[in-house]
Amino acid sequence: VTMFSAAALLIVAAQAGFIDGPRVMSNMAIDSWFPHRFAALSERLSMQNGIILMGVSALALLIYTNGSVSGLVIMYSINVFLTFSLSQLGMSYFYITHRRTDKKWKQHLSVHIIGLVLCVTILLITVFEKFTEGGWVTLIITTVVIGGCYFIRSHYDKVRQGVSQLDETLLNLPVFGPVNDRPLNHDDMTAVQLVSGYNGFGVHTLLSILTNFPQTKQITFASVAVIDSGSFKGAAEVKALEESIKDSLEKYVELARKLGFPADYRMDVGTDVVESAERLCKEIASEFPRSTVFTGQLTFRLEKIYHKMLHNETAFAIQRRLQWDGIKTVILPIRVKV
C-alpha cells in the first residue's frame, strides 16, 4: 500500500513540477522570496524565467547523476514528499484555524492528517534508507535554496526600508505657490520622467531634474502598467492596475504644477516594461521634439554581484534602446543605504 501510494503521488508530482514550478517561483517573486524578475511574463504570457531555471536545473542534475534513474528518483522523491508534507501540514492548520466557520472541518482535517502522516513517513524512510545514495545531496541543495530565499527576502526588506525613508521625507513635501495650469508647448524643453508609482523614489527624481537641469520648461510623466503574474488574473485586476497607475500619474502632474511647471502624463500597458517604455518615449519624443528622458536607478554604496540579479537593469536597458533611436536619456542615481 505504501509503495502504491508513493508511486501514485510521484506520478502526480511529475506533472505538477514543471507545470506549477514556474508559477510558484513567480508567486514567491511577488512576495520578494525570489528575484522580482521571475514574476515577469513573456510575450506568450508564460513565466519564462522560471521555465528556463527549471530546465537548466534539471539538465544540471541529469549531468551530475550521469543519467542514473535510481539517483534521480531518490533526489526527486525526497523533495516531492517534503513539499507534500508541508502542503498537508498547511491544509491541516487551515482547517484547524477555520473550524468555527466550516461545519465539515473534522472531515476535511482527517483526510489531510492521514495524508500528512503518510507523506512524512515516506519522507523519513526515504531519507534514512537512501541518505548515502544521494539523499545527502538533495538535503544540501534544498537547504541552500531555502537559505537563498531568506537572504533574498532580507535584502529586499532592507532596500524597502531604505526607500521608505524617501517616502516619509518627500511624499508630504510642503509646496506653496500658484498652480501652473498652462498647457504644454510642443517647442519647449520637455523633461520626460519615467515613473512606476507615486513614491519618494519618483519625487526625488523629479526634484533632481528640476535642480540639475534648469533648462527644463515643462514635464511629461510616463508610466507602463506592467502586467505580471500578480496582476494577470482577470480583466478586473488589469483594470485596477491601470487605475492605480493613472492615479499615481495624476499626483505627479499635480505636484509638478504646484512647483510651477506645466505638466501632463502618458501611459501604456504591456508585459515587457523595456519595450513598452521605449515605444511610449518614442511617441512622446515625436510629440515634443526637444525632450529628454529621465529615469532613476537605485545606487548602493558597495555594489555586490547579486545586486544585478535582484535588481533589474531596466533603466540602462531603456537608455540603450532610446539612445540608439537618437533620444537623449539621463539616469539619475538614487542612493539607498543597505
Side-chain angles (χ1 to χ4, degrees):
V1 172
T2 302
M3 292 304 298
F4 176 79
S5 301
L9 287 171
L10 289 173
I11 291 174
V12 175
Q15 305 295 326
F18 279 96
I19 294 175
D20 285 335
R23 186 178 292 112
V24 170
M25 291 181 193
S26 67
N27 291 335
M28 293 178 68
I30 293 172
D31 294 332
S32 298
W33 292 100
F34 248 65
H36 288 162
R37 64 184 65 192
F38 280 87
L41 298 176
S42 68
E43 293 180 355
R44 297 184 178 183
L45 304 180
S46 63
M47 292 77 172
Q48 179 175 325
N49 291 322
I51 293 172
I52 292 174
L53 180 60
M54 290 285 292
V56 172
S57 300
L59 180 61
L61 291 176
L62 185 64
I63 295 174
Y64 171 77
T65 59
N66 293 319
S68 172
V69 175
S70 59
L72 288 170
V73 168
I74 292 171
M75 300 176 71
Y76 169 73
S77 58
I78 288 176
N79 270 334
V80 164
F81 288 106
L82 174 60
T83 53
F84 281 173
S85 298
L86 291 174
S87 298
Q88 295 302 318
L89 179 62
M91 293 304 298
S92 300
Y93 176 79
F94 174 83
Y95 283 110
I96 290 174
T97 55
H98 289 74
R99 60 185 180 276
R100 295 181 179 178
T101 57
D102 192 339
K103 296 180 179 180
K104 297 184 178 180
W105 71 275
K106 291 183 178 179
Q107 178 182 343
H108 295 305
L109 179 62
S110 62
V111 173
H112 293 296
I113 289 292
I114 294 173
L116 175 62
V117 173
L118 180 63
C119 291
V120 170
T121 302
I122 297 173
L123 173 64
L124 294 177
I125 292 174
T126 304
V127 172
F128 180 77
E129 293 289 339
K130 304 296 182 181
F131 183 80
T132 59
E133 300 179 26
W136 65 274
V137 178
T138 308
L139 295 177
I140 290 177
I141 294 175
T142 304
T143 303
V144 169
V145 171
I146 294 173
C149 291
Y150 274 97
F151 173 79
I152 291 171
R153 178 61 182 262
S154 174
H155 174 78
Y156 280 134
D157 286 343
K158 291 179 181 178
V159 172
R160 196 175 294 112
Q161 291 175 3
V163 174
S164 66
Q165 294 177 1
L166 291 176
D167 294 342
E168 295 174 0
T169 305
L170 298 176
L171 286 186
N172 297 318
L173 183 69
V175 180
F176 304 97
V179 177
N180 192 328
D181 292 325
R182 289 191 297 108
L184 272 64
N185 189 327
H186 295 280
D187 297 323
D188 280 348
M189 297 291 294
T190 305
V192 181
Q193 181 182 343
L194 291 170
V195 296
S196 58
Y198 189 72
N199 47 42
F201 185 95
V203 175
H204 185 283
T205 303
L206 173 61
L207 297 178
S208 296
I209 295 171
L210 301 181
T211 302
N212 299 301
F213 299 88
Q215 68 272 26
T216 300
K217 302 298 182 182
Q218 56 191 15
I219 304 168
T220 298
F221 298 96
S223 184
V224 177
V226 181
I227 302 175
D228 58 15
S229 60
S231 57
F232 189 60
K233 297 177 181 177
E237 292 288 340
V238 176
K239 185 66 176 178
L241 175 63
E242 293 181 16
E243 291 297 329
S244 175
I245 295 297
K246 182 179 178 181
D247 180 65
S248 297
L249 288 169
E250 289 175 347
K251 290 180 180 179
Y252 278 115
V253 171
E254 180 182 1
L255 175 61
R257 289 189 177 276
K258 286 183 178 179
L259 291 171
F261 292 85
D264 201 354
Y265 71 85
R266 302 288 188 275
M267 66 175 291
D268 196 5
V269 179
T271 59
D272 189 305
V273 63
V274 176
E275 291 184 0
S276 299
E278 178 191 12
R279 180 173 61 252
L280 186 59
C281 290
K282 288 171 69 175
E283 292 175 358
I284 298 174
S286 63
E287 185 179 358
F288 302 98
R290 303 180 64 191
S291 62
T292 301
V293 177
F294 294 90
T295 183
Q297 175 71 22
L298 290 176
T299 303
F300 303 95
R301 181 181 296 273
L302 297 175
E303 193 75 22
K304 305 290 181 58
I305 297 176
Y306 58 83
H307 284 162
K308 292 186 177 180
M309 181 181 68
L310 299 182
H311 301 278
N312 56 40
E313 301 291 296
T314 301
F316 296 105
I318 293 173
Q319 183 186 52
R320 286 191 295 269
R321 293 197 179 198
L322 293 179
Q323 287 183 340
W324 177 258
D325 295 323
I327 301 174
K328 291 179 292 183
T329 308
V330 178
I331 297 178
L332 299 172
I334 309 295
R335 292 184 296 179
V336 176
K337 296 180 180 180
V338 177

